[in-house]
Amino acid sequence: MAEALLHQQRTHRPPAPRPPSRRPGTLVGGLLRTTRPKQWVKNVLVVAAPAAAGRLFSAHAVTRLALVFALFTACAAAVYLINDARDAEADRAHPTKRHRPIAAGQVPVPVAYGVAGALAVLTPAVAAWLTNPAVAVLLTAYLGMQLAYCVSLKHVLVVDLVVVTTGFLMRAMAGGLALGIPLSRWFLITTGFGALFMVAAKRYSEAVQLAGTAGATRVLLTEYTTGYLRFVWQLAAGVAVLGYCLWALEEGGVPHTSVLPWRQLSVVAFILGVLRYAVFADRGTAGEPEEVVLGDRALALIALAWLAMYALAVADW
């Protein structure tokens, strides 16, 4: 009996894993899912510069910013389509990414490339026609940088972090360029290093969650150490806080006339927001920044308090 069982165990082998079957759903639905609708929230950064300058309260500004938001969403959609088409084979080895529409076969690779190419060509042209040349140049630079990232830069240590961070910074710059608003040094420093903080925290969380497992689609996660990524997001958080504090404490020779010093008080909410987000970064659960920002009630309340104080500071109430 024992010999028979041993022979059965030796001869019976588990079947090889089958490739993911074609997921049900329409082609349009698959394309929409590939554009990551949850991540469209990142493009809200286009209102950052106009909000800081108090230029949100006009029909012209709202219309122009809505257009820039849509244009950046289209550019990001083109990048996501190309990225997923290139990574389709690798994504099939990932426990969750294997369900992406292109990897699962819902969206054919040639269709993904075709739609991405159309968006990449039309978006800067529409920007030049309906906004101004500066926005068109920025979108073209964004597309070129992101395509270079998809092809090769995402395999270069540190450069991959810089490219993703620069994408966030470009979003924040686009609104100012669309309305002709000068961008201050403190705005650029705080936005840039705040973005680097979130990007490095995302990489750190991915490295922690995929440690010791097979099927990692980000090759660089095996090159970075969790200690190094922790150092990067901690450094970036510190510089972002410092830049914001310098902005808040700089009166520019004009004393405030509001009821309370809202600029200085907003530092408290800003630091609390960074500290709260750092809780998720430290746990290794900041892999999806939009879910952290939208899903944590305490962080949402802190963000609302900061927005209120920031608005009062800009309005000088």
Side-chain angles (χ1 to χ4, degrees):
M1 177 67 72
E3 292 180 356
L5 289 175
L6 183 60
H7 177 72
Q8 183 178 6
Q9 290 176 356
R10 288 177 177 175
T11 56
H12 179 71
R13 296 178 180 177
R18 293 179 300 176
S21 58
R22 184 180 294 271
R23 290 173 60 88
T26 64
L27 177 62
V28 175
L31 288 170
L32 182 62
R33 285 180 53 222
T34 305
T35 63
R36 318 281 206 280
K38 285 186 178 180
Q39 301 205 25
W40 293 357
V41 68
K42 297 175 182 177
N43 300 324
V44 175
L45 279 172
V46 301
V47 308
R55 296 274 298 275
L56 284 179
F57 306 103
S58 70
H60 170 72
V62 172
T63 303
R64 182 62 64 89
L65 291 176
L67 176 59
V68 173
F69 175 90
L71 291 172
F72 243 111
T73 300
C75 284
V79 174
Y80 285 133
L81 286 165
I82 293 175
N83 179 76
D84 285 9
R86 286 181 55 84
D87 292 346
E89 290 298 327
D91 285 347
R92 293 188 181 108
H94 193 276
T96 57
K97 293 181 180 180
R98 65 191 300 269
H99 299 300
R100 288 177 172 176
I102 297 177
Q106 182 179 350
V107 176
V109 171
V111 173
Y113 278 127
V115 175
L119 290 174
V121 171
L122 292 176
T123 302
V126 173
W129 179 37
L130 297 179
T131 59
N132 57 53
V135 176
V137 170
L138 181 69
L139 290 174
T140 302
Y142 173 83
L143 283 168
M145 183 183 67
Q146 294 298 324
L147 291 177
Y149 174 82
C150 291
V151 173
S152 62
L153 295 184
K154 66 180 178 181
H155 303 301
V156 183
L157 286 169
V158 181
V159 173
D160 72 308
L161 298 176
V162 174
V163 170
V164 178
T165 299
T166 304
F168 282 95
L169 187 58
M170 285 181 168
R171 288 175 170 89
M173 294 171 60
L177 293 176
L179 297 179
I181 299 172
L183 302 172
S184 73
R185 55 183 177 176
W186 302 127
F187 173 82
L188 296 175
I189 290 173
T190 303
T191 304
F193 281 94
L196 179 59
F197 165 49
M198 300 183 75
V199 170
K202 175 181 172 67
R203 290 287 192 273
Y204 173 79
S205 298
E206 292 174 340
V208 169
Q209 294 173 6
L210 293 176
T213 64
T217 58
R218 292 192 191 274
V219 178
L220 280 189
L221 287 180
T222 61
E223 301 291 334
Y224 286 120
T225 64
T226 54
Y228 175 78
L229 291 172
R230 174 184 286 272
F231 162 75
V232 173
W233 68 254
Q234 289 176 339
L235 174 65
V239 176
V241 168
L242 178 60
Y244 189 87
C245 289
L246 290 173
W247 168 83
L249 298 175
E250 182 183 65
E251 292 288 353
V254 181
H256 70 84
T257 58
S258 56
V259 177
L260 291 173
W262 298 114
R263 281 168 61 120
Q264 289 82 353
L265 290 175
S266 68
V267 170
V268 177
F270 185 85
I271 294 176
L272 284 176
V274 171
L275 291 176
R276 180 66 183 180
Y277 195 92
V279 170
F280 298 94
D282 182 67
R283 292 174 179 171
T285 57
E288 298 295 338
E290 64 279 2
E291 293 184 3
V292 175
V293 174
L294 298 176
D296 183 62
R297 183 174 299 178
L299 186 58
L301 292 175
I302 293 171
L304 288 175
W306 173 76
L307 285 172
M309 288 187 282
Y310 193 97
L312 290 171
V314 172
D316 200 22
W317 286 353

